[in-house]
Amino acid sequence: MTVNAIGAYEFPPLDLEANFHGNRLLYLGWDRHLMFCSPFALLVDPAMGFAELCEQVLRPAMAAHPDTAKVDFSASVWLLNDQPWSPDFAASLDANGLRHKDMLRLQTPGLNGLGNSAS
Amino acid sequence: MTANKKKLGLKDKYRYLTRDLDWEPSYQDKKAIFPHEDFEGIKITDWDKWEDPFRLTMDAYWKYQAEKEKKLYAILDAFAQNNGQQTISDARYVNALKLFLGGISPCEYQAFQGFARVGRQFSGAGARVACQMQAIDELRHVQTQVHAMSHYNKHFNGLHDFAHMHDRVWFLSVPKSFFDDARTAGPFEFLTAISFSFEYVLTNLLFVPFMSGAAYNGDMATVTFGFSAQSDEARHMTLGLEVIKFMLEQHEDNVPIIQGWIDKWFWRGNRLLTLVGMMMDYMLPNKVMSWAEAWEVYFEQAGGALFKDLERYGIRAPKYVEQSTIGKEHVSHQAWATFYQYSQATNFHTWMPNEEEMDWLSAKYPNTFDQYYRERFTFWREQQEKGERFYNNTLPQLCQVCQIPTIFTEPDDATQLSHRSHVHEGERYHFCSDGCCDIFKNQPQKYVQAWLPVHQIYQGNCGGADIESVVRDYYNINIGEDNFEYLGSPEHQRWLQWKGLNPAVAPLPKAS
């Protein structure tokens, strides 16, 4: 079913990649660490390397959590849009196949949040 | 022409001032006069079957409302002259008013606009008059709410530009988008959304918490507004039920359409009320009842009886209602955690509950608070005591439909976010729940154009290269006065002064 309307009802999506001036949206959720209330919405340059994303963007974003210092991104489990996925740390985000508005989930086995409460 | 009696009885007066104002068009097609009546697929066979829920005529309306408002303004004056702002329970309470003024009052204005429109679009005179009167009610409510709260604006921060903020500030897009969605629907969906799902099914969950909250916390101005609005709200609820029964009785083809709207607007209302839940459990220094208790009394018991009653029309309880039963024990904690960590971008203050308040939460939420939230809040409190108050320095992912950050957890696993995503015409969209994802899938064209504050900031449409300048210049939030932590804020210090404590030497109340 589409929209019941009094006339034609066609609009371009407001968040097309072209509207982000060469950047892309990437979402990153850290499983069992709900202290960060929702996945991060990140604005990223597709040419950025995956290793750089981890160390320059993610680690500072996660820094307030005591588990962050123990995170080894290369030993973590990743899901891309809920499918198992393995990043190439040396390649760019684009070469890793990360598209506009994709969602990554980071799983860090053994790290279960504050007092093992998934916080 | 027949001569009318000089003194009309109530029944005659009602007839002359409502139904008799209507006429049958002679040189215009009725469909051209009421062009929005058919496109939603609702079939009305006989508008005369419309039972007016309240037999009120315009002359009686003006007289009655004028008397009520005279009393209201007398009390507001007395409140101001007696420095009523100093006798509230605690300055933290005013933050609930900031949320109300930015989040609810502009929605009353949206409701006015919506009812004024549908009051033009129905070919049945009874429905038109009822909608027009409700439109005037809503407009009066905006005005009286603004007047009731204007006194607080002289003494507290963050209340100075509510209309501007409503259109721009990230979390206010949640109530704004709710009404935008309803107002851009057809007239029958608008009534199902606002008159039935919101006013009839859920309004007690908005007004009772705020008005009882005001009473428990010494805010006579807001309590008086609440009493003044109560008789209007009772009429609105009656209209909501009449609307739904009328549509259901007119044609059986209406049933599945209305069921779809009930499913959609129940879920949107349930999500919107998360903000009220947070207000009840965290922002009221003197608490009325918990959000879970309010949900049980005003939705599960009252709503349960209602949907049982509607079964004879073929209507069932809203889809995903069972998720709201689980969510009532979580959503207020999840929402407060969100506002706490993004308080740099709000026009009100946040704080961590003290030990006594934590114990109250444990007692009210025996299945969830200690297990899932206490650890988190205790950690934040300790960080704050070390001088490292937690703020989240990234932006959150937002739900494409309700526009709340995707903060809610799975109904069957409170350690896991209930994130959903869906690809439509090559674009990926993200949702907080099955309910919001379904709403999108039913009308994707409507939501692909959603104005999501986080994405708008990243597109450069909110000024500012950094978040601080967006907050300061685009939102018009005064940095360091309106936002951030409550403890130690200018507002907190002023309150201590009023209470005869020297903020320079008075120790900040320890969080634990």
Side-chain angles (χ1 to χ4, degrees), chain B residues 33-78:
Chain B
I33 300 174
F34 300 105
H36 293 182
E37 199 164 272
D38 299 324
F39 77 90
E40 296 172 274
I42 292 291
K43 294 175 182 160
I44 304 295
T45 53
D46 183 6
W47 272 108
D48 284 338
K49 290 278 177 5
W50 173 275
E51 288 289 335
D52 290 73
F54 29 89
R55 309 227 149 188
L56 194 60
T57 53
M58 211 22 106
D59 58 333
Y61 179 91
W62 290 129
K63 188 164 169 269
Y64 179 56
Q65 302 299 353
E67 278 168 15
K68 274 201 318 190
E69 291 196 4
K70 254 183 236 153
K71 286 181 202 154
L72 169 64
Y73 283 99
I75 292 173
L76 295 186
D77 276 350

Short mmCIF file of all heavy atoms in Angstrom, two decimals, chain B residues 33-78:
data_model
loop_
_atom_site.label_atom_id
_atom_site.label_comp_id
_atom_site.label_asym_id
_atom_site.label_seq_id
_atom_site.Cartn_x
_atom_site.Cartn_y
_atom_site.Cartn_z
N ILE B 33 -17.42 20.59 -3.12
CA ILE B 33 -17.35 21.43 -1.92
C ILE B 33 -16.55 20.72 -0.81
O ILE B 33 -15.85 21.36 -0.04
CB ILE B 33 -18.78 21.75 -1.40
CG1 ILE B 33 -19.56 22.48 -2.49
CG2 ILE B 33 -18.74 22.58 -0.14
CD1 ILE B 33 -21.02 22.73 -2.15
N PHE B 34 -16.66 19.39 -0.77
CA PHE B 34 -15.95 18.61 0.26
C PHE B 34 -15.00 17.61 -0.41
O PHE B 34 -15.23 16.40 -0.38
CB PHE B 34 -16.96 17.89 1.16
CG PHE B 34 -17.88 18.84 1.86
CD1 PHE B 34 -19.19 18.99 1.45
CD2 PHE B 34 -17.42 19.61 2.93
CE1 PHE B 34 -20.04 19.88 2.09
CE2 PHE B 34 -18.27 20.51 3.57
CZ PHE B 34 -19.57 20.65 3.15
N PRO B 35 -13.95 18.14 -1.04
CA PRO B 35 -13.12 17.28 -1.90
C PRO B 35 -12.27 16.25 -1.14
O PRO B 35 -11.73 15.34 -1.75
CB PRO B 35 -12.21 18.28 -2.62
CG PRO B 35 -12.13 19.46 -1.70
CD PRO B 35 -13.46 19.53 -1.01
N HIS B 36 -12.14 16.38 0.18
CA HIS B 36 -11.26 15.44 0.91
C HIS B 36 -12.03 14.31 1.58
O HIS B 36 -11.47 13.55 2.35
CB HIS B 36 -10.46 16.20 1.98
CG HIS B 36 -9.47 17.16 1.41
ND1 HIS B 36 -8.63 17.91 2.18
CD2 HIS B 36 -9.19 17.49 0.13
CE1 HIS B 36 -7.87 18.67 1.40
NE2 HIS B 36 -8.20 18.45 0.15
N GLU B 37 -13.32 14.21 1.29
CA GLU B 37 -14.12 13.29 2.08
C GLU B 37 -13.99 11.83 1.62
O GLU B 37 -14.23 10.91 2.41
CB GLU B 37 -15.59 13.71 2.06
CG GLU B 37 -16.36 13.08 3.19
CD GLU B 37 -17.70 13.76 3.43
OE1 GLU B 37 -17.72 14.73 4.19
OE2 GLU B 37 -18.70 13.34 2.83
N ASP B 38 -13.60 11.60 0.39
CA ASP B 38 -13.66 10.23 -0.14
C ASP B 38 -12.32 9.51 -0.30
O ASP B 38 -12.29 8.29 -0.35
CB ASP B 38 -14.33 10.25 -1.53
CG ASP B 38 -15.75 10.76 -1.44
OD1 ASP B 38 -16.42 10.46 -0.42
OD2 ASP B 38 -16.18 11.47 -2.37
N PHE B 39 -11.23 10.27 -0.41
CA PHE B 39 -10.01 9.63 -0.92
C PHE B 39 -9.39 8.59 0.03
O PHE B 39 -8.62 7.75 -0.39
CB PHE B 39 -8.97 10.68 -1.34
CG PHE B 39 -8.22 11.32 -0.21
CD1 PHE B 39 -7.04 10.76 0.26
CD2 PHE B 39 -8.68 12.50 0.38
CE1 PHE B 39 -6.33 11.36 1.29
CE2 PHE B 39 -7.98 13.10 1.41
CZ PHE B 39 -6.80 12.52 1.86
N GLU B 40 -9.76 8.65 1.29
CA GLU B 40 -9.19 7.67 2.22
C GLU B 40 -9.90 6.32 2.15
O GLU B 40 -9.43 5.35 2.73
CB GLU B 40 -9.29 8.19 3.66
CG GLU B 40 -8.49 9.44 3.91
CD GLU B 40 -8.79 10.00 5.29
OE1 GLU B 40 -9.76 10.78 5.41
OE2 GLU B 40 -8.08 9.65 6.24
N GLY B 41 -11.04 6.29 1.47
CA GLY B 41 -11.77 5.03 1.33
C GLY B 41 -12.83 4.81 2.40
O GLY B 41 -13.49 3.76 2.42
N ILE B 42 -13.00 5.78 3.30
CA ILE B 42 -14.04 5.65 4.33
C ILE B 42 -15.41 5.96 3.69
O ILE B 42 -15.56 6.96 2.97
CB ILE B 42 -13.76 6.63 5.50
CG1 ILE B 42 -12.50 6.19 6.25
CG2 ILE B 42 -14.95 6.72 6.46
CD1 ILE B 42 -12.63 4.89 7.04
N LYS B 43 -16.34 5.07 3.94
CA LYS B 43 -17.68 5.23 3.34
C LYS B 43 -18.67 5.73 4.39
O LYS B 43 -18.88 5.07 5.41
CB LYS B 43 -18.15 3.90 2.77
CG LYS B 43 -17.29 3.46 1.59
CD LYS B 43 -17.67 2.08 1.09
CE LYS B 43 -16.72 1.69 -0.05
NZ LYS B 43 -16.72 0.24 -0.27
N ILE B 44 -19.26 6.88 4.14
CA ILE B 44 -20.29 7.43 5.02
C ILE B 44 -21.61 7.39 4.24
O ILE B 44 -21.72 8.01 3.18
CB ILE B 44 -19.96 8.88 5.43
CG1 ILE B 44 -18.58 8.96 6.10
CG2 ILE B 44 -21.06 9.42 6.35
CD1 ILE B 44 -18.43 8.22 7.40
N THR B 45 -22.58 6.64 4.74
CA THR B 45 -23.85 6.54 4.01
C THR B 45 -24.88 7.54 4.54
O THR B 45 -25.74 7.98 3.81
CB THR B 45 -24.41 5.10 4.12
OG1 THR B 45 -24.47 4.75 5.50
CG2 THR B 45 -23.52 4.12 3.39
N ASP B 46 -24.77 7.90 5.81
CA ASP B 46 -25.78 8.82 6.36
C ASP B 46 -25.19 9.67 7.48
O ASP B 46 -25.06 9.23 8.62
CB ASP B 46 -26.97 7.99 6.89
CG ASP B 46 -28.08 8.90 7.39
OD1 ASP B 46 -27.97 10.14 7.23
OD2 ASP B 46 -29.05 8.36 7.97
N TRP B 47 -24.87 10.91 7.14
CA TRP B 47 -24.27 11.80 8.14
C TRP B 47 -25.25 12.12 9.27
O TRP B 47 -24.85 12.53 10.36
CB TRP B 47 -23.80 13.10 7.49
CG TRP B 47 -22.40 13.04 6.95
CD1 TRP B 47 -22.02 13.00 5.63
CD2 TRP B 47 -21.17 13.03 7.70
NE1 TRP B 47 -20.64 12.97 5.52
CE2 TRP B 47 -20.09 13.00 6.76
CE3 TRP B 47 -20.86 13.05 9.06
CZ2 TRP B 47 -18.75 12.97 7.15
CZ3 TRP B 47 -19.51 13.03 9.45
CH2 TRP B 47 -18.48 12.99 8.50
N ASP B 48 -26.56 11.97 9.01
CA ASP B 48 -27.54 12.29 10.06
C ASP B 48 -27.46 11.33 11.23
O ASP B 48 -28.01 11.60 12.30
CB ASP B 48 -28.96 12.29 9.48
CG ASP B 48 -29.21 13.55 8.67
OD1 ASP B 48 -28.48 14.55 8.90
OD2 ASP B 48 -30.08 13.53 7.78
N LYS B 49 -26.78 10.20 11.03
CA LYS B 49 -26.63 9.24 12.13
C LYS B 49 -25.59 9.73 13.16
O LYS B 49 -25.40 9.13 14.19
CB LYS B 49 -26.20 7.88 11.59
CG LYS B 49 -27.31 7.17 10.81
CD LYS B 49 -28.24 6.49 11.79
CE LYS B 49 -29.46 5.79 11.22
NZ LYS B 49 -29.68 5.68 9.84
N TRP B 50 -24.88 10.79 12.79
CA TRP B 50 -23.88 11.36 13.72
C TRP B 50 -24.58 11.86 14.97
O TRP B 50 -25.47 12.70 14.90
CB TRP B 50 -23.14 12.51 13.03
CG TRP B 50 -22.22 13.25 13.95
CD1 TRP B 50 -22.54 14.28 14.79
CD2 TRP B 50 -20.83 13.01 14.13
NE1 TRP B 50 -21.45 14.70 15.49
CE2 TRP B 50 -20.37 13.94 15.11
CE3 TRP B 50 -19.91 12.11 13.58
CZ2 TRP B 50 -19.04 13.99 15.53
CZ3 TRP B 50 -18.59 12.17 14.00
CH2 TRP B 50 -18.17 13.09 14.96
N GLU B 51 -24.21 11.31 16.11
CA GLU B 51 -24.77 11.77 17.39
C GLU B 51 -23.80 12.78 17.97
O GLU B 51 -22.65 12.45 18.23
CB GLU B 51 -24.89 10.58 18.36
CG GLU B 51 -25.97 9.60 18.03
CD GLU B 51 -27.37 10.14 18.26
OE1 GLU B 51 -27.50 11.07 19.10
OE2 GLU B 51 -28.30 9.65 17.60
N ASP B 52 -24.26 13.99 18.18
CA ASP B 52 -23.35 14.98 18.76
C ASP B 52 -23.01 14.58 20.17
O ASP B 52 -23.89 14.40 21.00
CB ASP B 52 -23.99 16.35 18.75
CG ASP B 52 -24.10 16.84 17.33
OD1 ASP B 52 -24.96 16.31 16.60
OD2 ASP B 52 -23.31 17.70 16.96
N PRO B 53 -21.72 14.44 20.45
CA PRO B 53 -21.34 13.97 21.77
C PRO B 53 -21.58 15.04 22.84
O PRO B 53 -21.77 14.70 24.00
CB PRO B 53 -19.86 13.65 21.63
CG PRO B 53 -19.41 14.36 20.41
CD PRO B 53 -20.59 14.58 19.54
N PHE B 54 -21.56 16.29 22.47
CA PHE B 54 -21.83 17.31 23.50
C PHE B 54 -22.72 18.35 22.87
O PHE B 54 -22.42 18.93 21.86
CB PHE B 54 -20.55 17.94 24.03
CG PHE B 54 -19.42 17.98 23.06
CD1 PHE B 54 -19.25 19.05 22.20
CD2 PHE B 54 -18.52 16.93 22.99
CE1 PHE B 54 -18.20 19.07 21.30
CE2 PHE B 54 -17.48 16.95 22.09
CZ PHE B 54 -17.32 18.02 21.23
N ARG B 55 -23.84 18.57 23.52
CA ARG B 55 -24.83 19.48 22.93
C ARG B 55 -24.51 20.89 23.37
O ARG B 55 -25.20 21.45 24.22
CB ARG B 55 -26.21 19.06 23.35
CG ARG B 55 -26.44 17.59 23.09
CD ARG B 55 -27.73 17.36 22.42
NE ARG B 55 -27.62 16.18 21.56
CZ ARG B 55 -28.57 15.81 20.72
NH1 ARG B 55 -29.65 16.50 20.61
NH2 ARG B 55 -28.40 14.74 19.98
N LEU B 56 -23.49 21.43 22.81
CA LEU B 56 -23.03 22.74 23.23
C LEU B 56 -23.17 23.66 22.02
O LEU B 56 -22.74 23.31 20.92
CB LEU B 56 -21.57 22.64 23.66
CG LEU B 56 -20.96 23.79 24.42
CD1 LEU B 56 -21.69 24.06 25.73
CD2 LEU B 56 -19.49 23.46 24.73
N THR B 57 -23.77 24.82 22.23
CA THR B 57 -23.86 25.79 21.14
C THR B 57 -22.84 26.89 21.38
O THR B 57 -22.34 27.06 22.49
CB THR B 57 -25.27 26.40 21.06
OG1 THR B 57 -25.61 26.91 22.34
CG2 THR B 57 -26.28 25.35 20.62
N MET B 58 -22.55 27.63 20.33
CA MET B 58 -21.45 28.58 20.40
C MET B 58 -21.68 29.65 21.47
O MET B 58 -20.75 30.03 22.18
CB MET B 58 -21.27 29.21 19.02
CG MET B 58 -19.87 29.62 18.67
SD MET B 58 -18.51 28.83 19.54
CE MET B 58 -17.84 27.74 18.32
N ASP B 59 -22.91 30.12 21.62
CA ASP B 59 -23.14 31.17 22.61
C ASP B 59 -22.88 30.66 24.04
O ASP B 59 -22.23 31.32 24.84
CB ASP B 59 -24.56 31.75 22.48
CG ASP B 59 -25.63 30.68 22.64
OD1 ASP B 59 -25.32 29.50 22.34
OD2 ASP B 59 -26.74 31.00 23.07
N ALA B 60 -23.32 29.42 24.28
CA ALA B 60 -23.07 28.84 25.61
C ALA B 60 -21.58 28.58 25.80
O ALA B 60 -21.05 28.77 26.90
CB ALA B 60 -23.85 27.53 25.76
N TYR B 61 -20.93 28.17 24.70
CA TYR B 61 -19.50 27.90 24.76
C TYR B 61 -18.74 29.15 25.21
O TYR B 61 -17.92 29.10 26.14
CB TYR B 61 -19.01 27.43 23.38
CG TYR B 61 -17.53 27.14 23.30
CD1 TYR B 61 -17.02 25.87 23.55
CD2 TYR B 61 -16.62 28.14 22.96
CE1 TYR B 61 -15.67 25.60 23.47
CE2 TYR B 61 -15.26 27.88 22.88
CZ TYR B 61 -14.79 26.61 23.13
OH TYR B 61 -13.44 26.36 23.05
N TRP B 62 -18.99 30.28 24.58
CA TRP B 62 -18.25 31.50 24.92
C TRP B 62 -18.47 31.88 26.38
O TRP B 62 -17.53 32.25 27.08
CB TRP B 62 -18.68 32.67 24.05
CG TRP B 62 -18.26 32.58 22.62
CD1 TRP B 62 -19.07 32.72 21.53
CD2 TRP B 62 -16.95 32.33 22.10
NE1 TRP B 62 -18.34 32.56 20.37
CE2 TRP B 62 -17.03 32.32 20.69
CE3 TRP B 62 -15.70 32.09 22.69
CZ2 TRP B 62 -15.94 32.09 19.87
CZ3 TRP B 62 -14.60 31.86 21.86
CH2 TRP B 62 -14.72 31.87 20.48
N LYS B 63 -19.73 31.79 26.81
CA LYS B 63 -20.07 32.22 28.16
C LYS B 63 -19.33 31.34 29.20
O LYS B 63 -18.69 31.82 30.12
CB LYS B 63 -21.58 32.09 28.35
CG LYS B 63 -22.10 32.67 29.63
CD LYS B 63 -23.63 32.85 29.54
CE LYS B 63 -24.20 33.18 30.90
NZ LYS B 63 -24.61 32.00 31.66
N TYR B 64 -19.41 30.04 28.95
CA TYR B 64 -18.83 29.07 29.86
C TYR B 64 -17.30 29.20 29.91
O TYR B 64 -16.68 29.24 30.98
CB TYR B 64 -19.27 27.69 29.39
CG TYR B 64 -18.74 26.54 30.18
CD1 TYR B 64 -18.95 26.45 31.55
CD2 TYR B 64 -18.07 25.50 29.53
CE1 TYR B 64 -18.47 25.37 32.26
CE2 TYR B 64 -17.59 24.41 30.23
CZ TYR B 64 -17.78 24.36 31.60
OH TYR B 64 -17.31 23.29 32.29
N GLN B 65 -16.68 29.30 28.72
CA GLN B 65 -15.22 29.38 28.68
C GLN B 65 -14.72 30.69 29.29
O GLN B 65 -13.69 30.73 29.94
CB GLN B 65 -14.70 29.23 27.24
CG GLN B 65 -15.09 27.93 26.54
CD GLN B 65 -14.56 26.69 27.23
OE1 GLN B 65 -13.78 26.77 28.18
NE2 GLN B 65 -15.00 25.53 26.78
N ALA B 66 -15.47 31.77 29.06
CA ALA B 66 -15.04 33.07 29.60
C ALA B 66 -15.03 33.03 31.13
O ALA B 66 -14.09 33.51 31.76
CB ALA B 66 -15.97 34.17 29.11
N GLU B 67 -16.03 32.39 31.70
CA GLU B 67 -16.07 32.29 33.17
C GLU B 67 -14.89 31.48 33.69
O GLU B 67 -14.22 31.85 34.66
CB GLU B 67 -17.37 31.59 33.61
CG GLU B 67 -18.55 32.53 33.66
CD GLU B 67 -19.87 31.79 33.82
OE1 GLU B 67 -19.85 30.59 34.17
OE2 GLU B 67 -20.91 32.42 33.55
N LYS B 68 -14.61 30.35 33.00
CA LYS B 68 -13.49 29.51 33.44
C LYS B 68 -12.19 30.29 33.36
O LYS B 68 -11.34 30.22 34.25
CB LYS B 68 -13.38 28.28 32.51
CG LYS B 68 -14.25 27.14 32.91
CD LYS B 68 -13.77 25.80 32.32
CE LYS B 68 -13.34 25.89 30.89
NZ LYS B 68 -13.12 24.58 30.26
N GLU B 69 -12.00 31.01 32.27
CA GLU B 69 -10.70 31.67 32.09
C GLU B 69 -10.53 32.86 33.02
O GLU B 69 -9.41 33.15 33.45
CB GLU B 69 -10.49 32.02 30.62
CG GLU B 69 -10.31 30.71 29.85
CD GLU B 69 -9.72 30.83 28.48
OE1 GLU B 69 -9.35 31.94 28.05
OE2 GLU B 69 -9.64 29.78 27.82
N LYS B 70 -11.61 33.51 33.38
CA LYS B 70 -11.51 34.59 34.37
C LYS B 70 -10.93 34.03 35.67
O LYS B 70 -10.05 34.61 36.29
CB LYS B 70 -12.89 35.19 34.64
CG LYS B 70 -13.08 36.56 34.01
CD LYS B 70 -14.44 37.13 34.40
CE LYS B 70 -15.22 37.48 33.14
NZ LYS B 70 -16.66 37.44 33.30
N LYS B 71 -11.46 32.89 36.08
CA LYS B 71 -10.97 32.26 37.31
C LYS B 71 -9.50 31.86 37.16
O LYS B 71 -8.69 32.07 38.06
CB LYS B 71 -11.80 31.02 37.65
CG LYS B 71 -13.17 31.34 38.18
CD LYS B 71 -13.92 30.05 38.51
CE LYS B 71 -15.42 30.31 38.54
NZ LYS B 71 -16.20 29.12 38.25
N LEU B 72 -9.19 31.27 36.01
CA LEU B 72 -7.82 30.81 35.79
C LEU B 72 -6.83 31.98 35.90
O LEU B 72 -5.83 31.90 36.61
CB LEU B 72 -7.70 30.15 34.41
CG LEU B 72 -6.28 29.84 33.92
CD1 LEU B 72 -5.59 28.82 34.81
CD2 LEU B 72 -6.29 29.34 32.48
N TYR B 73 -7.16 33.08 35.22
CA TYR B 73 -6.20 34.19 35.20
C TYR B 73 -6.10 34.86 36.57
O TYR B 73 -5.04 35.38 36.93
CB TYR B 73 -6.54 35.18 34.08
CG TYR B 73 -6.09 34.63 32.74
CD1 TYR B 73 -6.97 34.01 31.87
CD2 TYR B 73 -4.74 34.69 32.38
CE1 TYR B 73 -6.55 33.47 30.67
CE2 TYR B 73 -4.30 34.15 31.18
CZ TYR B 73 -5.21 33.54 30.31
OH TYR B 73 -4.77 33.01 29.14
N ALA B 74 -7.18 34.82 37.36
CA ALA B 74 -7.09 35.36 38.72
C ALA B 74 -6.09 34.55 39.54
O ALA B 74 -5.28 35.10 40.29
CB ALA B 74 -8.47 35.33 39.38
N ILE B 75 -6.12 33.24 39.36
CA ILE B 75 -5.20 32.39 40.13
C ILE B 75 -3.76 32.56 39.63
O ILE B 75 -2.82 32.61 40.41
CB ILE B 75 -5.66 30.92 40.10
CG1 ILE B 75 -6.97 30.81 40.89
CG2 ILE B 75 -4.59 29.99 40.68
CD1 ILE B 75 -7.64 29.47 40.82
N LEU B 76 -3.61 32.68 38.30
CA LEU B 76 -2.25 32.90 37.77
C LEU B 76 -1.67 34.19 38.31
O LEU B 76 -0.49 34.26 38.68
CB LEU B 76 -2.27 32.93 36.23
CG LEU B 76 -2.66 31.64 35.50
CD1 LEU B 76 -2.49 31.81 33.99
CD2 LEU B 76 -1.84 30.45 35.99
N ASP B 77 -2.50 35.24 38.39
CA ASP B 77 -2.04 36.52 38.95
C ASP B 77 -1.60 36.36 40.39
O ASP B 77 -0.55 36.86 40.80
CB ASP B 77 -3.17 37.56 38.90
CG ASP B 77 -3.24 38.23 37.54
OD1 ASP B 77 -2.31 38.02 36.73
OD2 ASP B 77 -4.23 38.94 37.29
N ALA B 78 -2.44 35.66 41.16
CA ALA B 78 -2.11 35.47 42.58
C ALA B 78 -0.81 34.68 42.73
O ALA B 78 0.03 35.00 43.57
CB ALA B 78 -3.26 34.74 43.28
#
